Amino acid sequence: MKNRHLPRTISQIRSMSLWAIGAVILLVVALTGIWFSGYFFGDGQRSNPQVSSRSESPGETKPPPLEWTSRQVFVAKTLDQVKQAVVKIEIPLEGGAAIETGTGFFIDRRGWIATNDHLVQHMNNRAYVRSADGQTYRIAGVVAKAPAMDLAIIELAERPVKMMILDLSYEDIPRLGTEVYAFGHPYNVDFSLSRGVVSRVLTTAELVENFPDHIVTKINSPPAMVWIQHDARTSPGNSGGPLLDGTGRVIGVNTFVHKLAQYGFASHIRYLRDLAKEATGAIQPLPDPAPPSLEGVTSESIVDLRQIRPLWQFAESISWTPGDLQQYQKLAEWARIANIVKILQVQGKIPPGVPPSVVDQAATEADGLFRTLTPRQISQESQHRLNTWAKEAGFQPHMGIVFVGRLVAETSPGIILLEFGNQGPHVLLRLRPDLPELNRDDPVFVAGLVSPQAAEIRIGRDSQQERVPVVWGMFVMSLAKSDETGTDTGSP
């Protein structure tokens, strides 16, 4: 995860935990010989918060409007004001080709910002923060950190003229059902607010008792450390953001999320408050980004995550009807990248030291784009062109392929046999666990990844033996859908 264009090779893999640390990483990283170049996995557009500030109760006094003067500091009293205290932390990696992002918030008039230590661990001297008004500020360094609590405080190189800070005075243990709010940048949907309730308050020891391999065991969190479990929606990108009550007081710092149960976990604010009190003000400068090694990297092992959306947009611009081999190869490249990240997500494999959100985000984006595709968009002409160029490109191992075939049979659970084009060669297609609805003789659109393996099968009444390519089909769709006139779309 260093400078230039691609990082060092990582050959070992490990199982992905159900527990995700909430930073968003947009980076270049090797994964079992596959290289990822990251960028925005989402659409890069800001969205409205999922909820707005709470409405006034009868008799409640609305805070007066803020009137800024030079170097004036306010403490946020409403959720609307909290937004002005939250920042997006952006860490350029790989010479700027990749960005790791997370959340922080102002806690002190000296320009101190609280966040998670796991985000600070990746920081270099090119890191900066972005405020809600679009202003960016350089980071001077780290003034305090508590790795066992996944907390850190950074200081800006220059302070904003107008600064809003958050209230860290909360002392209580929140009761079950307490309404809470999470602020952050989930999947790069910037400055977004979500609402939920406290569902449980527990200690590190209780977490480990239920989940022996929990993240807290890896950072050696104190057994008595208090964690607030809540269901305010948090995702990668909320890492280091505040968990708040309705008045804008911080009750915790969002740190990790259980991906399946969709519960967020925040450390109680008392630990951040103590860390700030203990800080001497000495600044630890951030290091220079280090360059990666490109030794042994081949072109087919490069996966540029920045291309997921642009390649898809190109496919849409030509209506999935490539006019030449070069255009087809762009569609096949989308299929290659999308299948790699989806396979890794399904298999639960991730390179050491990389948050699970890297693969998760890319696979989620690819899934979202593919769901927008409908059978109507793959016309007869599209099918003919795709198969023509797919045949010319051939079934090259480790490369993407886009074609339409007819479903001949399901050979075993999760594996189907397709006939490529009209009476063409056969292909074995390995499907994802959440199988699409496919029926025999359906024309099937495939955006797949050619496996280095091949298979020997016997077909027909005379059991004629045939050697067929094997394709990972993480993105497939039946084209047996009727148009408005009731005519089925057939295979080319």
Side-chain angles (χ1 to χ4, degrees):
M1 295 173 18
K2 311 300 179 188
N3 199 358
R4 292 184 196 164
H5 302 296
L6 296 169
R8 57 193 176 86
T9 302
I10 302 175
S11 58
Q12 295 179 331
I13 55 178
R14 62 179 173 81
S15 296
M16 183 188 298
S17 171
L18 294 177
W19 299 91
I21 293 178
V24 172
I25 273 197
L26 316 165
L27 78 168
V28 183
V29 57
L31 183 53
T32 63
I34 304 293
W35 295 87
F36 286 87
S37 176
Y39 200 67
F40 270 60
F41 300 122
D43 57 15
Q45 298 178 348
R46 298 183 181 181
S47 69
N48 294 326
Q50 297 174 22
V51 296
S52 60
S53 304
R54 66 171 186 171
S55 58
E56 291 182 55
S57 302
E60 183 178 11
T61 302
K62 184 176 181 179
L66 301 179
E67 296 181 1
W68 296 103
T69 60
S70 180
R71 295 295 178 190
Q72 193 168 3
V73 177
F74 280 94
V75 178
K77 298 296 183 183
T78 69
L79 295 175
D80 285 326
Q81 294 173 0
V82 166
K83 182 177 180 179
Q84 300 172 56
V86 172
V87 298
K88 184 176 185 180
I89 299 173
E90 302 187 350
I91 307 171
L93 304 171
E94 317 304 337
I99 299 176
E100 178 179 358
T101 68
T103 304
F105 54 97
F106 282 105
I107 62 171
D108 189 277
R109 65 178 60 246
R110 288 170 286 188
W112 286 8
I113 293 173
T115 188
N116 282 142
D117 180 66
H118 72 256
L119 193 64
V120 169
Q121 289 175 10
H122 299 158
M123 278 189 183
N124 56 57
N125 57 20
R126 297 180 183 178
Y128 56 93
V129 304
R130 187 183 304 277
S131 60
D133 62 5
Q135 297 296 313
T136 59
Y137 303 92
R138 295 180 299 114
I139 299 173
V142 182
V143 295
K145 57 182 179 179
M149 298 179 179
D150 203 2
L151 293 172
I153 300 172
I154 58 176
E155 183 173 323
L156 296 185
E158 59 274 337
R159 283 177 291 170
V161 173
K162 304 172 182 180
M163 191 186 306
M164 182 76 72
I165 64 177
L166 297 188
D167 182 350
L168 310 185
S169 65
Y170 186 84
E171 293 278 4
D172 300 332
I173 297 295
R175 295 183 177 182
L176 296 184
T178 299
E179 191 168 74
V180 291
Y181 301 83
F183 228 123
H185 319 287
Y187 290 119
N188 286 295
V189 181
D190 294 350
F191 298 96
S192 295
L193 183 68
S194 60
R195 178 176 59 193
V197 297
V198 173
S199 54
R200 191 181 180 191
V201 178
L202 66 171
T203 64
T204 297
E206 290 171 318
L207 271 173
V208 173
E209 183 178 353
N210 291 334
F211 305 98
D213 295 327
H214 196 281
I215 288 172
V216 294
T217 64
K218 297 175 175 60
I219 63 175
N220 298 314
S221 294
M225 184 173 178
V226 176
W227 298 92
I228 303 168
Q229 176 183 315
H230 62 88
D231 65 356
R233 185 176 294 277
T234 52
S235 302
N238 284 103
S239 186
L243 184 69
L244 309 136
D245 66 12
T247 65
R249 284 191 306 172
V250 185
I251 69 172
V253 180
N254 284 313
T255 305
F256 53 87
V257 60
H258 191 292
K259 295 188 298 181
L260 294 182
Q262 296 186 341
Y263 282 119
F265 289 78
S267 59
H268 195 285
I269 192 58
R270 68 174 64 154
Y271 306 110
L272 175 62
R273 187 171 58 242
D274 292 344
L275 182 64
K277 289 179 180 178
E278 296 167 2
T280 64
I283 299 176
Q284 177 185 346
L286 297 173
D288 293 327
S293 169
L294 303 180
E295 183 179 356
V297 179
T298 57
S299 59
E300 66 268 16
S301 63
I302 298 174
V303 176
D304 188 350
L305 298 183
R306 294 173 297 180
Q307 295 303 309
I308 290 179
R309 186 169 295 274
L311 287 171
W312 181 270
Q313 291 171 337
F314 173 78
E316 290 185 320
S317 72
I318 63 170
S319 301
W320 290 89
T321 309
D324 54 38
L325 183 59
Q326 185 177 10
Q327 289 187 344
Y328 171 81
Q329 287 172 337
K330 290 185 177 182
L331 275 57
E333 177 65 0
W334 184 90
R336 185 180 73 91
I337 296 172
N339 275 267
I340 287 172
V341 295
K342 191 62 187 180
I343 291 167
L344 295 176
Q345 183 192 51
V346 169
Q347 293 181 344
K349 295 178 179 178
I350 193 169
V354 177
S357 59
V358 178
V359 173
D360 248 5
Q361 274 188 265
T364 299
E365 182 181 29
D367 271 338
L369 291 171
F370 193 76
R371 281 196 295 269
T372 67
L373 188 65
T374 65
R376 190 184 301 275
Q377 293 173 264
I378 310 300
S379 66
Q380 291 285 341
E381 178 65 16
S382 299
Q383 297 176 44
H384 172 72
R385 295 279 189 90
L386 288 171
N387 283 3
T388 297
W389 297 119
K391 184 176 181 180
E392 181 169 334
F395 287 81
Q396 302 296 327
H398 307 294
M399 303 303 289
I401 189 164
V402 184
F403 68 98
V404 176
R406 181 180 65 86
L407 197 160
V408 176
E410 180 179 10
T411 61
S412 60
I415 300 179
I416 61 175
L417 182 66
L418 293 181
E419 185 179 67
F420 179 70
N422 283 326
Q423 300 179 342
H426 292 87
V427 179
L428 272 183
L429 197 66
R430 301 185 64 175
L431 301 173
R432 53 200 280 177
D434 51 336
L435 297 174
E437 183 179 347
L438 300 172
N439 299 303
R440 186 170 181 174
D441 291 327
D442 277 1
V444 179
F445 173 84
V446 178
L449 174 70
V450 182
S451 168
Q453 302 170 331
E456 298 284 349
I457 62 172
R458 295 185 181 274
I459 302 174
R461 295 180 180 178
D462 56 355
S463 296
Q464 182 178 355
Q465 186 167 307
E466 181 181 340
R467 184 174 178 83
V468 300
V470 177
V471 173
W472 286 94
M474 298 291 102
F475 298 90
V476 303
M477 174 178 63
S478 173
L479 299 183
K481 305 293 183 183
S482 298
D483 61 19
E484 291 180 357
T485 64
T487 303
D488 287 342
T489 57
S491 57

